[in-house]
Amino acid sequence: MRVYCSERYGWTDEVFDMVSWDTVGGVQRKLTHIKRMQTCKIMHGWLPTGHMRQYITGINQCPGCECKDETILHLFRCTHAKMRTKRKEIMEQFRKKGLKGKIPRHILAALCHVIKMECKGESSYVKRSQDPEIKEAIREQQQIGIHLMLRGFLAKGWMRAIEKAGASHPERRMNTLLRLVWDRIMDPLWQERNEIKHSK
């Protein structure tokens, strides 16, 4: 895994070790085989987007807009009206479910801001008002890749920020966060994309 990720994502060993692999393993162990395979596809960019299927179909066009290379990241930036609406719904659900899952409010707000900036293609992830632990978590996440956070590669810095915030059972809060990324962000966004594709 270390060699594969280092080659695929251009990580050093230090960056590889910034990923909260314990969280990935802890969540995946509780999933069904089918769901585990789906999360692996999400993490490593194996979903059948236009970018992946072009080697078979010769077409990498987004089904919802004029983008000529539909990647997983493009799902977060597609200009199709239904995709924009779905992203707004997803972020609201992410916030609500995150609070219900006892993720500290200020950490959840920082995560929402980071995701919003990435969706816009902007890089103003850090705010002056954020706690030092959150700023460090964002810096770690930037080294891993903000776009990879959206697939489930969460930085260990988020765990340290959760611990510093005094949340009970921080490992459970991290597990909740990862499940939210997969279940409340990626799954509904991918489903919406497929509905657009098959409605044509």
Side-chain angles (χ1 to χ4, degrees):
M1 176 65 79
R2 182 182 292 271
V3 173
Y4 174 81
C5 288
S6 296
E7 291 179 352
R8 185 170 178 84
Y9 307 121
W11 292 345
T12 62
D13 284 345
E14 181 183 10
V15 173
F16 179 91
D17 290 335
M18 290 179 183
V19 177
S20 186
W21 295 111
D22 287 345
T23 302
V24 174
V27 173
Q28 286 190 330
R29 278 193 294 272
K30 297 179 180 179
L31 301 178
T32 64
H33 175 71
I34 293 176
K35 183 64 176 177
R36 195 179 310 122
M37 290 299 294
Q38 178 73 355
T39 58
C40 284
K41 288 180 180 179
I42 290 170
M43 290 190 77
H44 297 296
W46 299 334
L47 290 177
T49 58
H51 181 81
M52 291 297 291
R53 288 188 56 77
Q54 67 177 313
Y55 303 105
I56 300 171
T57 65
I59 301 170
N60 56 356
Q61 173 84 39
C62 171
C65 72
E66 296 181 358
C67 177
K68 300 299 183 183
D69 187 20
E70 187 205 22
T71 61
I72 289 181
L73 177 58
H74 177 69
L75 300 177
F76 292 88
R77 297 178 180 174
C78 180
T79 57
H80 191 285
K82 288 186 176 180
M83 290 296 280
R84 290 200 301 266
T85 298
K86 179 56 67 172
R87 286 195 294 268
K88 289 179 182 178
E89 293 174 0
I90 284 170
M91 290 312 300
E92 182 59 26
Q93 285 299 309
F94 178 76
R95 187 187 67 80
K96 288 181 178 179
K97 294 294 183 180
L99 290 173
K100 187 175 181 180
K102 299 181 181 178
I103 297 172
R105 187 180 296 272
H106 66 296
I107 294 174
L108 194 59
L111 284 160
C112 287
H113 175 72
V114 168
I115 295 171
K116 182 178 179 181
M117 291 296 101
E118 187 68 3
C119 288
K120 289 183 175 182
E122 299 178 8
S123 58
S124 302
Y125 306 117
V126 178
K127 292 183 176 181
R128 290 183 181 180
S129 59
Q130 291 167 339
D131 292 344
E133 292 77 21
I134 291 178
K135 291 178 180 178
E136 181 57 29
I138 294 173
R139 281 191 284 268
E140 279 190 12
Q141 195 65 66
Q142 285 180 285
Q143 292 186 69
I144 295 166
I146 298 295
H147 67 292
L148 295 179
M149 181 183 80
L150 301 174
R151 298 192 203 171
F153 292 98
L154 300 176
K156 290 178 180 177
W158 296 114
M159 170 80 88
R160 293 193 296 274
I162 290 170
E163 290 174 339
K164 183 69 174 180
S168 61
H169 306 291
E171 69 286 346
R172 294 183 190 175
R173 307 289 81 82
M174 279 291 285
N175 288 353
T176 295
L177 178 56
L178 181 53
R179 287 297 298 265
L180 287 173
V181 168
W182 285 337
D183 297 344
R184 298 294 174 176
I185 296 180
M186 277 305 309
D187 276 359
L189 199 57
W190 181 244
Q191 289 172 16
E192 187 66 34
R193 176 266 186 196
N194 288 334
E195 287 182 15
I196 293 170
K197 179 179 174 63
H198 298 301
S199 67
K200 290 189 172 182

